[in-house]
Structures are given as C-alpha cells and as structure tokens.
Amino acid sequence: MRNQTSVLEFLLLGLSDTPEQQQFFFRLFLGMYLIGTLGNLLTILAIGFDSCLHTPMYFFLSSLSFLGLCFTSTTVPKMLMNYLLGSNAISYPECLAQMYFINAFGASDSILLSAMAYDRYLAACHPLHYGTVMTSRLCALLVTVPWVSAHLIAMVHSIFIDHLAFCTNNKIPHFFCDINTLIKLSCSDTHIHEMLVLFLGGPVVLISFICIVVSYTSIVSAVWKVPSARGKWKAFSTCGSHLSVVTLFYGTVIGVYFNPTSTHTSQKDMIATVMYTVVTPTLNPFIYSLRNNDLKGALGKLLGLKHFSKRQL
C-alpha cells in the first residue's frame, strides 16, 4: 500500500537559520549557480560547434557538463527561492521528485566518470586500437547505460520511500531532500530501506571507483614508459583534470553515504553534499578547460576571442 503519511510538506532547514548568514549563502550560491551554468553551457556549445572536438573524450565531457547542469538545477534554484521568499517549505511530491533526480544524476555521474576513465585507459594503453574500439556506438552505450541504470535505481528508491510513514516530525536538517535524512525522519521500520541504500548505491560507487583506480593505475604505468618528458607531461595533464574531478566527487560521496552513521553530523554531511552537488559540477568546466588547450581554443572561437582561439601544441 502507498504511504499514508500525515505530512503534506517538509521544512528544509538549510545551511543556516540566521538572516545574515542566509543572505551570505544566497549571494554565494547564486553566484556559483550562474558561473557553473554558464561554464557548463559554454563547454557543451564549444564542443558541439567545433568539429575538431567531435571525439569520444569530448563527447563524454559534454555529457558530464550536461549532468552538471541537471545536478545543480535540482537543488540550488529551490534553495535560492526559499531564501528569497523567506519560506523553507517543500511539498511532499516535490520533495520526492527532488530526491529522485538527485539520486539519478548522482548515480549517472558516478558511472560516467568510470566510462571516462576507461576512455583514457584505451587512449593511453592501446592507442593503435583506440579508434576501432571506441566507436560512436560504444560511446553512446557508455553514456546511455549510466542514465538508464541510474534512473532505474532512483525509481526503486522513490517507490520505497513513498511507502514510508512520516508522522509529526517534518523538519529536514538539510538544503534538499536527501534520502538518508528522509529515512531517519520516518516513523516506520526503515531497516529494509537502509539496506537498500547500501545494496543499490554501494555497487554503483564501489564498482565505478574500482574501474577508475584500475584504469589510472594502468595509465600511470604506461605513461611512465614514455621516453619523452613532454609526452609524459601532456598525458598526465590530460588525465590530471579527470582525476581532480574524481577526487572531489568520490571523496565527498563516500564520506557522506559509506561511513558509519556514528561519525555523521548534520553540519558535516551538508558541507560534504555541497561539495558534490554544487561545487564539483560548478568547477568541472573550469578544471577541464584551464588545462586543455584544444577546449580553450574552441571556447575562444565560440566567444570570438582570437587570443584564446590559437591552439597551443
């Protein structure tokens, strides 16, 4: 049977309850959201309009930028609107929908990062076979599978959460509807739901993380054998951008969802979730573009800046 909850809405307590700090966070997150949205949009457009960047690596990067847009748009606009209107209410269906999309985009991000690591592994360790293996069909599969799998996982979580009962406590000590927080608020037996989070979320993060570690271990081993110092630097520079994103994303996700609950506090969890839901998607386009001359050149051509449109070899 469907959840017969008495709660019609939840209250998102957010990052702070003092007006001065709320004004500060409003300005901070509005600036980050606008910068991140602009950066991700420009990355997608630059890759789309420059035929030289129609390669698997940039296809995955544009997919990551699109995910970044979706990720931040799921949480930040609602938080900004609540600060602006002075209300922290979110309806039950809206909360469930927000939780669904956060889970879906988070899982998609995790799997996509492992696909990007596999792409770099093939390019570094099997360059002669890269063109025949990394076909457009395989690229499409490596992007489609994360999306479909992630949305199926999110759907299962949403269905199970919708069957929980929520009694009198409707205050969420967070700035969005986090699945772990909702489970803690429920007055039902949540043992199965807690196990489900680990059973469905654990393999997504663990398998993806292992794939990335194995891929980059092989890449480092292959690059180390390159006789040219310039060749080594170019390879490490290309892979270093991806590793920076991976470290930011997985470090905070593992800290929030796969540590003992006794070590958790609401404040620490909120800071960590800000990192992977807002900061990482905002920084992604800048991490990649600042260390990639081809992408900087494409951005320069898109914006009509001759200085940046000259690709450096």
Side-chain angles (χ1 to χ4, degrees):
M1 291 180 63
R2 188 189 178 278
N3 163 39
Q4 299 296 321
T5 179
S6 60
V7 172
L8 299 178
E9 66 177 17
F10 293 100
L11 300 178
L12 296 171
L13 300 185
L15 298 169
S16 174
D17 56 356
T18 61
E20 294 80 9
Q21 290 185 346
Q22 286 182 352
Q23 289 180 8
F24 168 76
F25 285 127
F26 176 81
R27 295 190 186 98
L28 175 66
F29 282 94
L30 176 62
M32 290 177 65
Y33 181 66
L34 293 176
I35 291 170
T37 300
L38 180 63
N40 282 306
L41 277 175
L42 286 176
T43 300
I44 294 169
L45 291 173
I47 293 172
F49 281 104
D50 193 333
S51 58
C52 295
L53 301 185
H54 292 177
T55 62
M57 183 178 80
Y58 292 106
F59 173 70
F60 292 129
L61 179 55
S62 61
S63 300
L64 186 67
S65 292
F66 180 71
L67 264 179
L69 284 173
C70 296
F71 218 163
T72 53
S73 297
T74 304
T75 57
V76 178
K78 177 61 179 175
M79 178 173 58
L80 294 176
M81 187 174 69
N82 284 353
Y83 282 146
L84 194 62
L85 299 178
S87 169
N88 54 2
I90 182 170
S91 68
Y92 179 84
E94 189 180 0
C95 185
L96 207 62
Q98 189 184 59
M99 185 202 71
Y100 169 87
F101 285 112
I102 289 169
N103 289 336
F105 295 140
S108 298
D109 214 337
S110 179
I111 304 172
L112 182 59
L113 287 173
S114 65
M116 292 174 73
Y118 175 66
D119 172 69
R120 292 300 84 207
Y121 160 76
L122 284 178
C125 300
H126 302 282
L128 298 179
H129 303 286
Y130 179 76
T132 55
V133 175
M134 191 57 70
T135 61
S136 56
R137 183 179 179 182
L138 180 59
C139 289
L141 280 174
L142 289 174
V143 169
T144 305
V145 169
W147 274 87
V148 174
S149 304
H151 280 274
L152 287 174
I153 291 170
M155 189 180 298
V156 172
H157 281 312
S158 298
I159 291 170
F160 273 81
I161 291 294
D162 194 37
H163 283 72
L164 289 176
F166 297 93
C167 302
T168 55
N169 187 8
N170 68 336
K171 295 180 180 179
I172 299 177
H174 223 305
F175 64 95
F176 67 87
C177 292
D178 176 62
I179 185 170
N180 283 346
T181 308
L182 287 173
I183 289 173
K184 290 177 185 176
L185 283 182
S186 173
C187 49
S188 304
D189 181 8
T190 59
H191 179 71
I192 293 177
H193 300 77
E194 291 171 1
M195 295 299 295
L196 193 66
V197 171
L198 290 175
F199 179 74
L200 292 179
V204 170
V205 174
L206 187 61
I207 294 174
S208 299
F209 186 70
I210 290 174
C211 287
I212 291 170
V213 170
V214 171
S215 296
Y216 275 98
T217 301
S218 301
I219 289 170
V220 170
S221 177
V223 171
W224 200 253
K225 298 174 183 177
V226 175
S228 166
R230 185 180 179 183
K232 286 180 182 179
W233 167 250
K234 186 176 180 181
F236 280 126
S237 180
T238 302
C239 297
S241 302
H242 186 218
L243 282 175
S244 301
V245 174
V246 166
T247 303
L248 277 173
F249 181 81
Y250 281 99
T252 49
V253 168
I254 292 172
V256 172
Y257 295 102
F258 302 100
N259 268 344
T261 54
S262 58
T263 64
H264 288 214
T265 64
S266 296
Q267 199 65 26
K268 284 170 62 178
D269 283 356
M270 272 196 288
I271 293 171
T273 49
V274 165
M275 289 298 296
Y276 81 83
T277 59
V278 182
V279 176
T280 303
T282 300
L283 292 179
N284 278 353
F286 302 100
I287 290 174
Y288 281 101
S289 63
L290 290 175
R291 302 184 65 176
N292 188 305
N293 290 324
D294 288 337
L295 186 53
K296 282 194 289 186
L299 285 169
K301 287 202 299 184
L302 181 69
L303 299 173
L305 302 175
K306 294 182 179 180
H307 174 70
F308 290 102
S309 63
K310 295 178 181 178
R311 291 196 175 100
Q312 300 172 24
L313 299 177

